[in-house]
Amino acid sequence: MNHTPIDNARIDRAPIDNAPTGSTTSPEPRAWWKEAVIYQIYPRSFADSNGDGIGDLPGITAHLPYLAKLGVDVLWLSPVYQSPNDDNGYDISDYRAIMKEFGTMADFDEMLETAHGLGLKIVMDLVVNHTSDEHTWFLESRKSRENPFRDYYIWKDPKDGKAPNNWQSSFSGSAWEFDEATGMYYLHCFSKKQPDLNWENPKVRNEVFDMMTWWCEKGIDGFRMDVISMISKDPAFPDGEVTDGLYGDMSPYVCNGPHVHEYLQEMRSRVLSRYDLLTVGEAAGVTIDEAKKYANLDGTELNMVFHFEHVNAGETADTVLGKWGYEKPSMPRLRSILNKWQLELEGQAWGSLYWDNHDQPRAVSRFGDDSPQWRVRSAKMLATCLHLMKGTPYIYQGEELGMTNLHFTSPQQFRDIEEINAWKQYVVDNQIIDPDTMLKCFSAVARDNSRTPMQWDASTCAGFTTGTPWIPVNENYTEINAEAALADPDSIFYYYQKLIRLRHENPIIVYGRFVPLLEDSNTIYAYERRLEDSRLLVACNWTPQTRECRIFDSIPETGTELISNVASHEKGVLQPYEARAVLLP
Ligand code: GLC
Ligand code: CA
């Protein structure tokens, strides 16, 4: 026997990044961040403590017991730093200060201490591809060509009196903004209030590493790194392919650029290696081969990355609609993407698992069935399917309640800069997409779908605020809310709680090898996990009809059902949206 069996009790946290604390012969070194479940908080929409309509840090602190009850290990906070909020905090004007609307540094310290007291770790969003244009570095940088901060950002001379190239920013329009004061353009891959930092400048890297160290010394437990795959640009700045008749696609020239791995290795040796952290890179444009470098098992860069292939599976071939495609991606297509990542990362890199976040629509609306008849069952099915795969699972606030998309009926509802700018560019200015189609697209995939306030109870404004919420509450809050979920033993909340507990108790869920099953099925997503002699069989019916499925027909007496979203089973079939997992010792 080569492997030391892993204790069935909750596993002790490995003290050092990537250090094998359990089995020394297992190909998979143990680490606490592999065994953890992460819960993402979008602070602006989580809980408002003072009635100004904006979620805040005391609001989070007040609800920590709820999260401890759910059983998650780590909270990732979307940015809480000082920001003019052009992109809801992803435009930072001071990395060492808290956004006024969210509270004070004392509120932060209190939240951190309370969280730690409850056994919850805190992971901060690290937004260092760009700053706000109101950051002092940029205010200095734009003053003159000779300013000592000039090279903190990416400045280029006009080309034939126009922008240096045809790149479109991720939030519509040109990725270049002309600055009168010095007659040059600066690059902004996102809004013009988010100028890109110049990572080639060692001073910029020093500033970032110092700032990260400052937060680590405060006692935080990790970083989620915003668009970290974009910090190194192709030095040739070539024009991109034009698909919508307006601008060029910059992604091949800004994602996974020539120095990105070098910079992350430097970050690892200068900062990350000195602390026991969870690090996850948001890796726009990442391929599996790139992911194997970012999240390699030697631990020279990051613990894991978020890829986008499965959440982009609904994009259309329509060159104009592109990322706004509203069609539901088919299960076989999703499965082939997810299985491919499972198999290819095995033994090479660690993965992350998610259905949604603050940039994506609600999971149950996009991948499941948010009709009253099937919402609860399909939300549980999706959770089962994802949480029992290999990788670290992420839950986005409200997902554990089965919160749903908004239905957009008018542009007055938009809060997100991405939606506002796209509407202007495609519907108003160029009339390339008609308003009804665009509203349909937004209802399916816009980011505001997941940014509506957390639904705590059935009182006015869902218990999120006593004032006027910054973004409207989803009307279904009287039915879908945390209070109702906590009162119902069959709720989605308790199902997630159970999935999280199962992960803590069963090493096979964390470390077992992933083996796809029934890959020809159009209706059943099934797979197996294997660790030593044990097997975990998982099958999920992705349709609202009863479907044939024989994989549980001959399970031995010793098999134990770990979880299922239906009360009783029928032989040879899975009921509508049924999910079932059976452990064979
Ligand atoms: C990431 C964030 C997103 C933000 C963008 C620019 O994709 O998740 O919310 O708008 O980066 O910072
Ligand atoms: Ca508030």
Side-chain angles (χ1 to χ4, degrees):
M1 178 91 171
N2 272 332
H3 305 284
T4 317
I6 298 167
D7 220 326
N8 236 17
R10 187 157 175 165
I11 294 156
D12 287 330
R13 300 309 163 73
I16 301 168
D17 234 355
N18 268 330
T21 52
S23 163
T24 46
T25 49
S26 153
E28 208 73 73
R30 288 180 50 193
W32 64 264
W33 42 264
K34 295 178 180 171
E35 294 164 12
V37 177
I38 324 298
Y39 186 95
Q40 182 192 354
I41 294 180
Y42 194 67
R44 200 175 186 78
S45 303
F46 192 63
D48 172 23
S49 70
N50 63 353
D52 66 354
I54 298 174
D56 47 46
L57 296 179
I60 296 175
T61 308
H63 286 94
L64 291 173
Y66 166 84
L67 300 168
K69 178 163 187 166
L70 181 59
V72 295
D73 306 272
V74 179
L75 309 178
W76 146 30
L77 306 185
S78 276
V80 297
Y81 316 91
Q82 188 172 302
S83 163
N85 283 306
D86 193 50
D87 184 21
N88 289 352
Y90 283 91
D91 47 322
I92 297 168
S93 53
D94 184 347
Y95 289 100
R96 289 178 167 91
I98 297 295
M99 192 191 298
K100 280 192 195 66
E101 295 93 322
F102 288 180
T104 62
M105 195 56 85
D107 292 328
F108 180 87
D109 293 340
E110 192 186 334
M111 179 202 65
L112 185 65
E113 203 186 315
T114 313
H116 284 168
L118 289 165
L120 294 164
K121 293 179 187 278
I122 301 281
V123 162
M124 302 289 281
D125 220 305
L126 181 78
V127 188
V128 289
N129 172 70
H130 45 268
T131 67
S132 162
D133 66 340
E134 298 182 32
H135 194 289
T136 47
W137 300 338
F138 191 75
L139 296 177
E140 284 298 318
S141 184
R142 78 192 316 176
K143 279 184 183 163
S144 73
R145 293 183 183 217
E146 294 74 38
N147 189 283
F149 289 87
R150 188 66 170 180
D151 289 340
Y152 272 46
Y153 295 87
I154 301 171
W155 292 96
K156 297 269 178 233
D157 283 318
K159 199 169 142 192
D160 311 322
K162 288 191 294 219
N165 67 27
N166 70 358
W167 292 358
Q168 160 145 259
S169 102
S170 302
F171 294 157
S172 306
S174 170
W176 298 94
E177 181 72 7
F178 185 68
D179 202 45
E180 295 283 349
T182 55
M184 289 176 82
Y185 283 86
Y186 65 86
L187 177 69
H188 59 91
C189 291
F190 294 89
S191 96
K192 62 179 183 217
K193 286 184 66 62
Q194 293 168 297
D196 279 55
L197 282 165
N198 174 19
W199 273 71
E200 288 188 16
N201 182 349
K203 284 192 202 150
V204 166
R205 304 204 295 277
N206 283 339
E207 298 266 18
V208 170
F209 300 154
D210 283 355
M211 175 273 283
M212 291 173 72
T213 306
W214 188 85
W215 281 100
C216 290
E217 288 297 320
K218 232 180 195 314
I220 62 142
D221 306 290
F223 295 106
R224 174 269 185 187
M225 304 186 186
D226 192 63
V227 288
I228 202 70
S229 54
M230 289 171 62
I231 58 177
S232 170
K233 277 80 177 173
D234 182 333
F237 290 89
D239 277 339
E241 190 192 345
V242 181
T243 53
D244 61 4
L246 300 173
Y247 294 97
D249 176 14
M250 68 179 172
S251 52
Y253 313 110
V254 301
C255 298
N256 313 307
H259 302 294
V260 67
H261 297 289
E262 211 177 290
Y263 296 154
L264 289 175
Q265 287 161 21
E266 187 182 350
M267 183 192 279
R268 165 69 50 187
S269 68
R270 301 255 318 262
V271 186
L272 306 178
S273 60
R274 300 170 48 213
Y275 303 91
D276 179 21
L277 303 171
L278 179 154
T279 54
V280 52
E282 188 209 16
V286 74
T287 57
I288 292 186
D289 284 338
E290 284 294 329
K292 287 179 188 168
K293 299 183 204 160
Y294 288 118
N296 69 74
L297 293 183
D298 296 336
T300 57
E301 297 186 20
L302 305 175
N303 295 157
M304 57 191 128
V305 293
F306 294 126
H307 74 79
F308 288 85
E309 256 197 84
H310 64 308
V311 291
N312 291 346
E315 287 188 359
T316 81
D318 181 317
T319 54
V320 177
L321 278 189
K323 70 173 175 182
W324 297 107
Y326 50 77
E327 297 292 347
K328 222 176 181 139
S330 76
M331 184 281 283
R333 179 160 157 68
L334 276 172
R335 180 182 55 201
S336 72
I337 294 169
L338 293 170
N339 287 4
K340 180 182 70 178
W341 279 81
Q342 290 282 309
L343 294 172
E344 295 219 17
L345 293 191
E346 178 66 39
Q348 308 221 33
W350 192 253
S352 60
L353 305 167
Y354 72 99
W355 286 133
D356 56 5
N357 59 40
H358 67 294
D359 294 329
Q360 304 293 336
R362 289 283 175 184
V364 70
S365 300
R366 180 187 240 179
F367 300 116
D369 185 334
D370 64 8
S371 68
Q373 189 182 6
W374 299 121
R375 184 183 62 86
V376 171
R377 182 143 352 137
S378 73
K380 292 176 181 175
M381 181 280 285
L382 289 172
T384 316
C385 194
L386 192 80
H387 280 239
L388 300 181
M389 284 188 207
K390 189 164 189 171
T392 300
Y394 289 73
I395 301 169
Y396 177 68
Q397 68 182 42
E399 183 188 326
E400 78 283 12
L401 305 174
M403 279 178 61
T404 66
N405 277 359
L406 262 187
H407 187 63
F408 287 93
T409 48
S410 105
Q412 267 71 51
Q413 291 167 300
F414 314 156
R415 295 290 179 277
D416 172 19
I417 182 166
E418 185 180 31
E419 292 154 31
I420 293 168
N421 290 359
W423 182 268
K424 182 169 183 302
Q425 175 165 310
Y426 292 113
V427 178
V428 181
D429 293 350
N430 296 289
Q431 286 126 32
I432 299 178
I433 304 177
D434 71 85
D436 287 345
T437 306
M438 201 66 181
L439 285 173
K440 196 167 159 188
C441 293
F442 282 5
S443 297
V445 297
R447 307 198 297 182
D448 279 338
N449 283 305
S450 58
R451 298 179 179 184
T452 62
M454 179 74 177
Q455 292 164 204
W456 292 107
D457 58 37
S459 68
T460 326
C461 293
F464 164 72
T465 182
T466 52
T468 308
W470 70 276
I471 185 172
V473 176
N474 193 315
E475 281 166 15
N476 59 25
Y477 73 91
T478 49
E479 208 185 309
I480 304 173
N481 62 65
E483 192 179 54
L486 290 171
D488 171 9
D490 270 340
S491 69
I492 303 169
F493 178 94
Y494 289 117
Y495 196 87
Y496 270 82
Q497 185 189 57
K498 185 167 180 187
L499 278 170
I500 298 164
R501 181 164 47 75
L502 288 171
R503 160 171 293 262
H504 293 147
E505 291 170 351
N506 296 278
I508 193 171
I509 297 176
V510 182
Y511 295 107
R513 204 155 57 79
F514 176 91
V515 181
L517 298 174
L518 308 182
E519 285 183 285
D520 295 336
S521 169
N522 285 325
T523 54
I524 310 288
Y525 192 150
Y527 57 86
E528 182 174 308
R529 304 288 304 280
R530 291 189 193 156
L531 187 69
E532 294 160 9
D533 298 330
S534 310
R535 292 162 64 205
L536 174 66
L537 277 180
V538 182
C540 299
N541 179 354
W542 277 63
T543 76
Q545 290 90 28
T546 296
R547 301 287 185 178
E548 184 177 341
C549 175
R550 306 223 152 260
I551 68 171
F552 299 113
D553 283 8
S554 52
I555 46 172
E557 297 257 302
T558 49
T560 356
E561 181 168 289
L562 290 190
I563 195 162
S564 177
N565 60 353
V566 297
S568 61
H569 307 288
E570 291 164 37
K571 207 172 164 83
V573 296
L574 289 181
Q575 296 156 63
Y577 294 113
E578 176 173 350
R580 191 176 179 197
V582 173
L583 182 64
L584 308 175

